[in-house]
Coordinates of all heavy atoms in Angstrom, one line a residue:
L213 N -1.9 10.1 9.0 CA -2.2 9.6 10.3 C -3.3 10.5 10.9 O -2.8 11.5 11.6 CB -1.1 9.2 11.2 CG -1.4 8.8 12.6 CD1 -2.2 7.4 12.5 CD2 -0.1 8.7 13.4
N214 N -4.6 10.2 10.6 CA -5.7 10.9 11.4 C -5.8 10.3 12.7 O -5.8 9.0 12.9 CB -6.9 11.0 10.6 CG -8.0 11.7 11.3 OD1 -7.7 12.9 11.7 ND2 -9.2 11.2 11.4
L215 N -6.2 10.9 13.8 CA -6.2 10.4 15.0 C -7.5 10.1 15.7 O -7.6 9.4 16.8 CB -5.5 11.4 16.0 CG -4.1 11.9 15.7 CD1 -3.6 12.9 16.6 CD2 -3.1 10.9 15.4
K216 N -8.6 10.5 15.1 CA -9.9 10.3 15.8 C -11.0 9.6 15.0 O -11.9 9.3 15.6 CB -10.3 11.8 16.2 CG -9.5 12.5 17.1 CD -10.2 13.9 17.6 CE -9.2 14.6 18.5 NZ -9.8 15.8 18.8
E217 N -10.9 9.5 13.7 CA -12.1 8.9 13.0 C -12.0 7.5 12.6 O -12.4 7.2 11.4 CB -12.2 9.9 11.8 CG -12.3 11.4 12.1 CD -13.5 11.7 13.0 OE1 -14.6 10.9 12.9 OE2 -13.5 12.7 13.8
Q218 N -11.4 6.7 13.3 CA -11.1 5.3 12.9 C -12.5 4.5 13.0 O -13.3 4.6 13.9 CB -10.1 4.6 13.8 CG -8.8 5.3 13.6 CD -7.8 4.5 14.5 OE1 -8.1 3.7 15.3 NE2 -6.4 4.8 14.3
G219 N -12.8 3.8 11.9 CA -13.9 3.0 11.7 C -13.7 1.6 12.4 O -12.7 1.3 12.9
A220 N -14.8 0.8 12.2 CA -14.7 -0.5 12.9 C -13.5 -1.4 12.4 O -12.9 -2.0 13.2 CB -16.1 -1.3 12.6
L221 N -13.5 -1.5 11.0 CA -12.5 -2.5 10.6 C -11.0 -1.9 10.9 O -10.0 -2.7 11.1 CB -12.5 -2.5 9.0 CG -11.5 -3.4 8.3 CD1 -11.8 -4.9 8.7 CD2 -11.8 -3.3 6.8
E222 N -10.8 -0.7 11.0 CA -9.4 -0.1 11.4 C -9.2 -0.5 12.9 O -8.0 -0.8 13.2 CB -9.5 1.4 11.2 CG -8.1 1.9 11.3 CD -7.8 3.4 10.7 OE1 -8.9 3.8 10.2 OE2 -6.7 3.9 10.7
Q223 N -10.3 -0.5 13.7 CA -10.0 -0.8 15.1 C -9.8 -2.2 15.3 O -8.9 -2.7 15.9 CB -11.2 -0.3 16.0 CG -11.1 1.3 16.0 CD -12.4 1.8 16.9 OE1 -12.4 1.5 18.0 NE2 -13.3 2.6 16.3
Y224 N -10.8 -3.1 14.7 CA -10.8 -4.5 14.9 C -11.0 -5.2 13.4 O -12.1 -4.8 12.9 CB -11.8 -5.0 15.8 CG -11.8 -4.4 17.2 CD1 -12.6 -3.4 17.6 CD2 -10.9 -5.0 18.1 CE1 -12.5 -2.8 18.8 CE2 -10.9 -4.5 19.5 CZ -11.6 -3.4 19.8 OH -11.5 -2.9 21.1
P225 N -10.2 -5.9 13.0 CA -8.9 -6.5 13.7 C -7.6 -5.7 13.1 O -6.5 -6.2 13.4 CB -8.8 -8.0 13.1 CG -9.4 -7.8 11.8 CD -10.5 -6.8 11.8
H226 N -7.7 -4.6 12.4 CA -6.6 -3.9 12.0 C -5.6 -3.6 13.1 O -4.5 -4.2 13.3 CB -6.9 -2.7 11.2 CG -5.6 -1.9 10.8 ND1 -5.2 -0.8 11.5 CD2 -4.8 -2.1 9.7 CE1 -4.1 -0.3 10.9 NE2 -3.8 -1.0 9.8
N227 N -6.0 -2.7 13.9 CA -5.1 -2.1 15.0 C -4.9 -3.3 16.0 O -3.7 -3.5 16.6 CB -5.9 -1.0 15.8 CG -6.0 0.3 15.0 OD1 -5.4 0.3 13.8 ND2 -6.6 1.2 15.6
S228 N -5.8 -4.1 16.3 CA -5.8 -5.2 17.4 C -4.7 -6.2 17.0 O -3.9 -6.6 17.9 CB -7.1 -5.7 17.8 OG -7.7 -6.2 16.5
V229 N -4.7 -6.5 15.8 CA -3.7 -7.5 15.4 C -2.3 -7.0 15.3 O -1.4 -7.7 15.7 CB -4.2 -8.3 14.1 CG1 -3.0 -9.2 13.5 CG2 -5.5 -9.2 14.3
H230 N -2.2 -5.8 14.7 CA -1.0 -5.1 14.7 C -0.3 -5.2 16.1 O 0.9 -5.5 16.3 CB -1.1 -3.7 14.3 CG -0.8 -3.6 12.9 ND1 0.4 -3.5 12.1 CD2 -1.7 -3.2 11.8 CE1 0.2 -3.2 10.9 NE2 -1.1 -3.2 10.6
V231 N -1.1 -4.7 17.2 CA -0.5 -4.6 18.6 C -0.3 -6.0 19.0 O 0.7 -6.3 19.9 CB -1.5 -3.8 19.5 CG1 -1.0 -3.9 20.9 CG2 -1.6 -2.3 18.8
A232 N -1.2 -7.0 18.8 CA -1.0 -8.3 19.2 C 0.2 -9.1 18.8 O 1.0 -9.8 19.6 CB -2.2 -9.2 19.0
V233 N 0.6 -8.8 17.6 CA 1.8 -9.5 17.0 C 3.2 -8.8 17.7 O 4.0 -9.5 18.1 CB 1.9 -9.1 15.4 CG1 3.2 -9.7 14.9 CG2 0.8 -10.0 14.8
G234 N 3.0 -7.4 17.9 CA 4.0 -6.8 18.7 C 5.3 -6.4 17.9 O 5.5 -6.7 16.7
E235 N 6.2 -5.6 18.6 CA 7.5 -5.3 18.2 C 7.3 -4.5 16.9 O 6.7 -3.5 16.9 CB 8.4 -6.5 18.2 CG 9.9 -6.1 17.7 CD 10.5 -5.0 18.5 OE1 10.1 -4.6 19.7 OE2 11.3 -4.2 18.0
V236 N 7.9 -5.0 15.7 CA 7.9 -4.3 14.6 C 6.5 -3.9 14.0 O 6.0 -2.8 13.7 CB 8.7 -4.9 13.5 CG1 8.5 -4.2 12.0 CG2 10.2 -5.0 13.8
M237 N 5.6 -5.0 14.2 CA 4.2 -4.8 13.7 C 3.5 -3.8 14.6 O 2.5 -3.1 14.0 CB 3.4 -6.2 13.6 CG 3.6 -6.8 12.3 SD 2.4 -6.2 11.1 CE 0.9 -7.2 11.5
A238 N 3.8 -3.7 15.7 CA 3.1 -2.7 16.8 C 3.6 -1.3 16.5 O 2.9 -0.4 17.1 CB 3.2 -3.2 18.2
D239 N 4.6 -1.1 15.7 CA 5.2 0.3 15.6 C 4.7 0.9 14.2 O 5.1 0.3 13.2 CB 6.7 0.1 15.4 CG 7.5 1.5 15.3 OD1 6.8 2.4 14.9 OD2 8.6 1.5 15.7
F240 N 3.8 1.9 14.3 CA 3.2 2.5 13.2 C 4.3 2.7 12.0 O 4.0 2.4 10.8 CB 2.5 3.7 13.4 CG 1.7 4.3 12.3 CD1 0.4 4.0 12.0 CD2 2.4 5.3 11.6 CE1 -0.2 4.5 10.9 CE2 1.7 5.9 10.5 CZ 0.4 5.5 10.1
D241 N 5.4 3.2 12.3 CA 6.4 3.7 11.4 C 7.2 2.6 10.8 O 7.7 2.8 9.7 CB 7.2 4.8 11.9 CG 6.4 6.1 12.2 OD1 5.6 6.4 11.3 OD2 6.9 6.8 13.1
R242 N 7.3 1.5 11.4 CA 8.0 0.3 11.0 C 7.2 -0.9 10.6 O 7.8 -1.9 10.2 CB 9.0 0.0 12.0 CG 10.1 1.0 12.4 CD 11.2 0.4 13.4 NE 10.5 -0.1 14.7 CZ 11.0 -1.2 15.4 NH1 11.9 -1.8 14.9 NH2 10.3 -1.5 16.4
S243 N 5.9 -0.9 10.8 CA 5.1 -2.1 10.7 C 5.3 -2.8 9.4 O 5.2 -4.1 9.3 CB 3.6 -1.8 11.1 OG 3.2 -0.8 10.1
A244 N 5.4 -2.1 8.4 CA 5.5 -2.7 6.9 C 6.9 -3.4 6.7 O 7.1 -4.0 5.7 CB 5.2 -1.6 5.8
R245 N 7.7 -3.4 7.7 CA 9.0 -4.0 7.6 C 8.9 -5.5 8.2 O 9.9 -6.4 8.0 CB 10.0 -3.4 8.4 CG 10.4 -1.9 7.9 CD 11.5 -1.2 8.6 NE 11.5 0.2 8.2 CZ 12.4 1.1 8.4 NH1 13.6 0.7 9.0 NH2 12.3 2.4 8.0
D246 N 7.8 -5.9 8.7 CA 7.5 -7.2 9.1 C 6.7 -7.9 7.9 O 5.6 -7.4 7.5 CB 6.5 -7.2 10.3 CG 6.3 -8.6 11.0 OD1 6.3 -9.5 10.1 OD2 6.1 -8.7 12.2
P247 N 7.2 -9.0 7.5 CA 6.5 -9.6 6.3 C 5.0 -10.1 6.6 O 4.3 -10.2 5.7 CB 7.4 -11.0 6.0 CG 8.8 -10.5 6.4 CD 8.5 -9.6 7.6
S248 N 4.7 -10.4 7.9 CA 3.4 -10.6 8.2 C 2.4 -9.4 7.9 O 1.2 -9.7 7.9 CB 3.2 -11.2 9.6 OG 3.4 -10.1 10.6
F249 N 2.9 -8.3 7.9 CA 2.1 -7.1 7.6 C 1.3 -7.3 6.5 O 0.1 -7.1 6.4 CB 3.1 -5.9 7.6 CG 2.4 -4.5 6.9 CD1 2.0 -3.6 7.9 CD2 2.1 -4.4 5.5 CE1 1.4 -2.5 7.3 CE2 1.5 -3.3 5.2 CZ 1.2 -2.3 6.0
Y250 N 1.9 -7.8 5.2 CA 1.2 -7.7 4.0 C 0.1 -8.9 3.9 O -0.9 -8.8 3.3 CB 2.2 -8.0 2.9 CG 3.2 -6.9 2.9 CD1 4.5 -7.0 3.6 CD2 2.9 -5.6 2.4 CE1 5.4 -6.0 3.7 CE2 3.9 -4.6 2.4 CZ 5.1 -4.8 3.0 OH 5.9 -3.7 3.1
T251 N 0.3 -10.1 4.8 CA -0.6 -11.0 4.8 C -1.8 -10.6 5.7 O -3.0 -10.9 5.4 CB -0.1 -12.3 5.4 OG1 0.4 -12.2 6.7 CG2 1.0 -12.8 4.4
H252 N -1.5 -9.8 6.8 CA -2.7 -9.3 7.6 C -3.5 -8.3 6.8 O -4.7 -8.3 6.9 CB -1.9 -8.6 8.8 CG -2.9 -7.7 9.6 ND1 -4.1 -8.2 10.1 CD2 -2.8 -6.5 10.2 CE1 -4.8 -7.4 10.8 NE2 -4.0 -6.4 11.0
H253 N -2.7 -7.5 6.1 CA -3.5 -6.5 5.3 C -4.3 -7.1 4.1 O -5.3 -6.7 3.6 CB -2.6 -5.3 4.7 CG -2.5 -4.2 5.8 ND1 -3.6 -3.2 5.7 CD2 -1.7 -4.0 6.7 CE1 -3.4 -2.4 6.8 NE2 -2.3 -2.9 7.4

Side-chain angles (χ1 to χ4, degrees):
L213 177 59
N214 181 49
L215 307 176
K216 296 182 179 179
E217 305 299 330
Q218 296 183 346
L221 185 60
E222 191 164 1
Q223 293 182 56
Y224 301 98
H226 174 264
N227 292 354
S228 54
V229 171
H230 267 283
V231 172
V233 174
E235 185 44 30
V236 173
M237 266 283 276
D239 184 335
F240 180 86
D241 289 329
R242 297 188 299 143
S243 57
R245 301 183 188 194
D246 186 330
S248 72
F249 170 98
Y250 301 93
T251 59
H252 173 43
H253 270 274

